[in-house]
Amino acid sequence: MSLQLDLKTMLTTLIIGNLFTAVLITAYWRHHKQQVGIRSFFNAKVLQAAAWLILLLRGGSPDPLTLALVNTALFVGYALEVVSILQTQRLQKEKDLRYFTTLTILNVTAYLLVLLFHNREDLRIAFTSLGLAAGIVIPGSRMVRKKTASALSCIMGYLYLGIVVILVLRGVLAFFFDALFSYFHASTGNQALMLVGQYLIMISTNTGFLLLMKEQADQALLHMANYDDLTGALNRRTFIARTNDHLRTLARKKRPVSLLLFDIDEFKSINDTFGHDVGDRALVELTARIQRHLGAEDLLARYGGDEFVILLPDRDEEASTAIAEQLRHIAEQAGIPGTSRPYTISIGVLTVIPDDSTQLEVLYSTCDKALYQAKRRGKNGVARGYIDARPSHA
């Protein structure tokens, strides 16, 4: 009697936990519909709750019909959960959907064949454990190997790998040593261990997924706060903050820094002739082309309209002039999107060895004057400015 009560209590807890997670996801989903993976995880939780509900309504009976329904729902539910994790972490590959669909079909088919032709508990446990492990190992391994993974993502990855180890160990013990860790085995200790373990896994994975969703949303907000929404370059506020950090560092090291300021020549005529949409596409494509030719420490920002600024830490006059000329040629080769018409850019360049009194506003103003000088010379050129007001020259 006490065993049956414990089983019902734990099954009820598993049902409530999965349904509660589904409710939380529904509330979160309303305001974050653009986030991938939520629908798959929601469906996974509903299926997992349905599996435990079937087992509860059947009184915990291990008859073939109950086992077929429960394990089919769990196989599909865990496959959806794995896919949702891959989608959330942007780790999904092109062939993953086909792999998990095939794996789920094979798992369900193999399990049903065991039920029909050789219904032994050790075989059921082995097939179920190893089949689930074959799916869960994918997100676990990819999450821990991801170079840009957060601490939370790594922890979740190791958690999934830990579950894989437990599942493989359970399957091997059942198949080769007749050690049955089962929900239905006569051993009260084994049954309790399985149910408590399932409960802890549910709490960990459900909580982890919700935290990953929150982390993804926070990263999106941080990106919106730091980057221009059209071109993906840094926005003015973030550029100023990061540049001031560089200036302080370079001032201590007494190392040079260069500033490039440029815009597209006759950009207004591009908008007037081809439309603002084409003008926007030109800005996006030019930003992408230039970004590919900058170093990891270089900063590219959109200051406003078609005006961009680049900070080149530790670059002297010779290096910055070469980079400016390279960017000018990149713009010449870009062309107006959808047309054969080229466009050009003009660039103002400034190089200084900063000190404690160096101010970005002064650097920008001097560079802006150099850009104006390049425009006066006929555009599509590079002009250098100097803080000490020496004459500008290309």
Side-chain angles (χ1 to χ4, degrees):
M1 179 67 181
S2 60
L3 177 61
Q4 186 72 3
L5 178 61
D6 289 341
L7 178 60
K8 287 184 177 180
T9 301
M10 291 303 298
L11 289 176
T12 302
T13 304
L14 289 171
I15 295 167
I16 293 174
N18 283 303
L19 289 179
F20 183 67
T21 302
V23 170
L24 291 178
I25 290 174
T26 301
Y28 182 85
W29 197 352
R30 293 177 57 189
H31 303 288
H32 299 83
K33 293 183 179 180
Q34 76 282 4
Q35 287 187 265
V36 296
I38 298 181
R39 183 188 298 274
S40 296
F41 199 80
F42 172 83
N43 292 334
K45 295 299 107 179
V46 171
L47 278 171
Q48 290 167 22
W52 302 123
L53 179 60
I54 292 170
L55 190 56
L56 178 64
L57 294 177
R58 299 283 292 183
S61 173
D63 62 90
L65 177 60
T66 300
L67 292 174
L69 292 174
V70 169
N71 283 279
T72 297
L74 288 178
F75 276 130
V76 178
Y78 283 120
L80 288 172
E81 180 174 335
V82 167
V83 169
S84 69
I85 292 294
L86 293 174
Q87 291 173 337
T88 301
Q89 294 297 291
R90 292 181 172 83
L91 294 172
Q92 187 176 18
K93 297 182 180 179
E94 186 176 348
K95 297 182 180 180
D96 282 346
L97 187 58
R98 184 186 308 168
Y99 171 80
F100 286 109
T101 300
T102 303
L103 178 65
T104 303
I105 293 174
L106 290 175
N107 284 338
V108 172
T109 302
Y111 190 85
L112 293 179
L113 289 175
V114 170
L115 281 178
L116 290 173
F117 299 106
H118 209 58
N119 189 9
R120 285 170 39 191
E121 190 171 15
D122 58 340
L123 291 179
R124 297 200 311 264
I125 291 175
F127 272 105
T128 303
S129 299
L130 298 178
L132 291 175
I136 297 175
V137 70
I138 302 297
S141 60
R142 290 184 189 174
M143 290 169 78
V144 299
R145 291 182 311 188
K146 185 179 179 181
K147 294 182 180 180
T148 58
S150 64
L152 175 61
S153 181
C154 283
I155 290 174
M156 286 295 296
Y158 283 115
L159 172 63
Y160 278 113
L161 291 180
I163 294 172
V164 170
V165 172
I166 294 171
L167 287 172
V168 171
L169 183 62
R170 178 181 179 234
V172 170
L173 289 175
F175 191 79
F176 292 104
F177 301 99
D178 199 30
L180 304 182
F181 291 90
S182 167
Y183 303 113
F184 312 111
H185 196 253
S187 169
T188 304
N190 284 356
Q191 185 186 59
L193 181 63
M194 285 299 302
L195 289 170
V196 171
Q198 182 67 51
Y199 176 76
L200 292 176
I201 289 173
M202 177 197 69
I203 291 297
S204 301
T205 55
N206 290 2
T207 303
F209 182 82
L210 292 173
L211 290 175
L212 287 173
M213 285 282 94
K214 179 63 167 57
E215 182 180 67
Q216 188 184 61
D218 290 344
Q219 290 173 349
L221 290 174
L222 185 63
H223 188 275
M224 290 174 60
N226 291 334
Y227 293 87
D228 175 58
D229 57 356
L230 174 64
T231 63
L234 294 173
N235 59 31
R236 182 194 293 247
R237 180 182 60 81
T238 304
F239 178 82
I240 291 173
R242 295 188 184 182
T243 295
N244 285 329
D245 289 339
H246 276 292
L247 290 176
R248 285 190 290 268
T249 300
L250 293 168
R252 288 196 302 270
K253 296 180 179 180
K254 297 184 177 357
R255 298 296 300 169
V257 61
S258 294
L259 195 70
L260 275 63
L261 186 66
F262 69 90
D263 62 18
I264 296 178
D265 297 324
E266 307 294 345
F267 184 68
K268 184 178 182 302
S269 68
I270 296 177
N271 283 333
D272 293 342
T273 304
F274 301 100
H276 287 273
D277 179 62
V278 172
D280 287 347
R281 286 170 56 196
L283 294 177
V284 172
E285 291 185 11
L286 178 62
T287 303
R289 286 171 175 265
I290 288 178
Q291 191 72 68
R292 288 194 293 267
H293 288 80
L294 297 179
E297 296 297 318
D298 301 336
L299 304 180
L300 169 65
R302 185 186 181 194
Y303 244 51
D306 64 317
E307 185 177 82
F308 292 81
V309 61
I310 299 175
L311 185 80
L312 301 173
D314 213 18
R315 302 296 217 294
D316 57 17
E317 289 192 10
E318 182 179 357
S320 59
T321 297
I323 292 174
E325 289 292 347
Q326 182 183 37
L327 299 185
R328 188 176 64 81
H329 288 300
I330 289 172
E332 283 182 322
Q333 297 168 3
I336 299 173
T339 76
S340 59
R341 175 176 165 179
Y343 64 82
T344 60
I345 62 174
S346 296
I347 306 174
V349 188
L350 171 69
T351 300
V352 298
I353 297 179
D355 55 33
D356 293 339
S357 64
T358 301
Q359 296 182 348
L360 177 58
E361 294 82 358
V362 176
L363 302 184
Y364 174 82
S365 176
T366 304
C367 212
D368 187 50
K369 293 176 181 177
L371 172 59
Y372 179 69
Q373 182 73 7
K375 295 283 189 184
R376 289 181 57 188
R377 293 175 180 171
K379 307 180 179 62
N380 190 25
V382 176
R384 178 169 292 277
Y386 295 91
I387 294 293
D388 61 2
R390 284 181 291 169
S392 297
H393 61 275

